[in-house]
Amino acid sequence: MSIQNRGIMKITVIGESNVDIAVSSLAESSTKGCTPGAIAFHHGGVARNIAHNLCLLGHDVRLVSVFGNDDFAKKMIADCRDIGMDLSQSSQYEAKSPIFLSFNDETGDMVSAVSDASINDRMDLAWLKGKMDAINESEWVVADTLLSVEALAYLIDHCEPPLFIDTVSPGKAMRLVEAMKQSEKHAIFAIKCNQAEALQITGENDMAKAAKTLYTNGINNVYLTIGSSGVIHCFGGESLSYPALSTRIINVTGSGDAFFAGVIHGYAMGVNYEETVMYGLKMAKANCESEDTVNPVLPKDIHISKV
């Protein structure tokens, strides 16, 4: 499957929308007493973050997600609509919003995190099936692995546009492994995963080998992010490595989502593989240098107008 440059694209993004609560230390942590810090609330979720970034980049974006009915959800829905997201295929339930709580050290790196997101169990096969006709009206489709295994397998088999998948976390990445086993089509245009996720789903400690293993298992383009060591892109049986950009880290939450949005945007703008990865790296750098989960200020040299 090939992708041609079409400029601004009609993109559907499927998956989680949550509330990010980031707890950041302002000094080295102590086992005694209270550590000075800062607590920030942001709208997050891998799918929602990718959709937000793609909206900022100028694309026509539909978010297919699930929302609760609390005040967090009301504000998140309003903000999504304000930045131009189409929520017509999203669902709202009598439930609390998913919450992602992260603990970051004084350098901005995430130390640990906790997720409370039972509402995401609603993203099952029955929920997805009723939305496939609308999803297939898109030019591209992006999904995270918060969908159930059965829903992911169904999406792989019935998604007509090119499908991009973010594996989210080591535990959730296994849903993609199981979905590929259930899938008859057994092919995906692109995935993005980090080092921990790649190790979990391939068993490979060598990241170049992990990328090639994913490629040989039906994934046309593998984007493997390895933090300060950069990115590996595997396609056509070839793996290329790219160093990370020098970054003043403030908050790493959402940087992987920004990277993937930048890669997708690179495809849209018709740049070559190297520039596509650079679009992702520039978006990730900008995101790390922002206190927000999604940096509202785009890198200056990323082209966002129609071609």
Side-chain angles (χ1 to χ4, degrees):
M1 181 185 296
S2 63
I3 287 184
Q4 295 179 349
N5 170 29
R6 297 182 183 178
I8 302 306
M9 305 292 289
K10 184 175 182 180
I11 305 172
T12 291
V13 185
I14 312 167
E16 184 184 40
S17 301
N18 66 24
V19 178
D20 281 337
I21 304 177
V23 181
S24 300
S25 296
L26 298 180
E28 289 189 24
S29 61
S30 172
T31 56
K32 296 181 180 180
C34 180
T35 300
I39 301 174
F41 291 76
H42 304 288
H43 295 151
V46 169
R48 197 218 66 87
N49 289 346
I50 292 171
H52 190 161
N53 279 293
L54 289 171
C55 278
L56 293 178
L57 287 164
H59 297 284
D60 180 4
V61 180
R62 174 195 287 139
L63 176 64
V64 182
S65 188
V66 292
F67 295 94
N69 67 334
D70 52 19
D71 288 340
F72 283 135
K74 293 173 185 177
K75 182 65 166 63
M76 187 155 45
I77 289 169
D79 283 358
C80 286
R81 287 176 172 154
D82 285 346
I83 61 176
M85 283 187 215
D86 175 359
L87 299 182
S88 60
Q89 295 298 314
S90 287
S91 306
Q92 191 170 13
Y93 300 99
E94 292 288 328
K96 66 179 180 180
S97 294
I99 294 176
F100 178 80
L101 174 62
S102 63
F103 298 90
N104 305 324
D105 63 20
E106 65 277 8
T107 70
D109 277 332
M110 187 169 67
V111 176
S112 62
V114 177
S115 178
D116 179 359
S118 59
I119 192 176
N120 289 330
D121 292 341
R122 304 270 190 165
M123 292 190 290
D124 58 13
L125 179 58
W127 175 83
L128 182 70
K129 273 187 173 180
K131 304 175 186 297
M132 278 310 303
D133 286 345
I135 290 169
N136 281 331
E137 293 172 356
S138 307
E139 294 173 285
W140 294 348
V141 176
V142 186
D144 67 25
T145 51
L146 272 296
L147 280 71
S148 71
V149 170
E150 295 76 17
L152 276 172
Y154 186 86
L155 181 64
I156 292 167
D157 285 343
H158 294 85
C159 184
E160 296 171 5
L163 176 61
F164 299 73
I165 291 183
D166 190 302
T167 52
V168 177
S169 70
K172 295 299 186 291
M174 293 306 295
R175 293 188 181 185
L176 179 60
V177 174
E178 294 303 315
M180 288 290 275
K181 290 178 182 177
Q182 294 183 19
S183 166
E184 295 178 2
K185 189 175 178 180
H186 200 74
I188 298 170
F189 179 78
I191 70 163
K192 190 278 293 179
C193 57
N194 65 23
Q195 188 168 358
E197 293 153 15
L199 174 61
Q200 179 68 33
I201 59 183
T202 67
E204 294 282 1
N205 284 297
D206 183 283
M207 290 299 103
K209 289 181 179 178
K212 287 186 178 180
T213 297
L214 290 167
Y215 171 78
T216 58
N217 280 278
I219 300 166
N220 292 351
N221 290 273
V222 177
Y223 292 92
L224 203 165
T225 59
I226 41 181
S228 60
S229 297
V231 175
I232 295 173
H233 176 208
C234 185
F235 64 99
E238 180 181 6
S239 288
L240 298 177
S241 297
Y242 300 82
L245 301 179
S246 177
T247 304
R248 183 177 65 90
I249 295 176
I250 295 176
N251 176 25
V252 300
T253 302
S255 59
D257 311 332
F259 170 83
F260 206 25
V263 165
I264 295 165
H265 181 62
Y267 279 112
M269 305 318 297
V271 299
N272 60 32
Y273 283 123
E274 290 81 3
E275 280 300 305
T276 294
V277 174
M278 286 306 300
Y279 272 43
L281 289 170
K282 289 173 183 177
M283 288 291 289
K285 172 182 168 66
N287 215 83
C288 285
E289 295 178 343
S290 170
E291 294 181 353
D292 297 323
T293 302
V294 174
N295 190 344
V297 181
L298 295 172
K300 294 180 180 179
D301 55 347
I302 284 188
H303 181 55
I304 62 171
S305 59
K306 291 184 179 181
V307 295

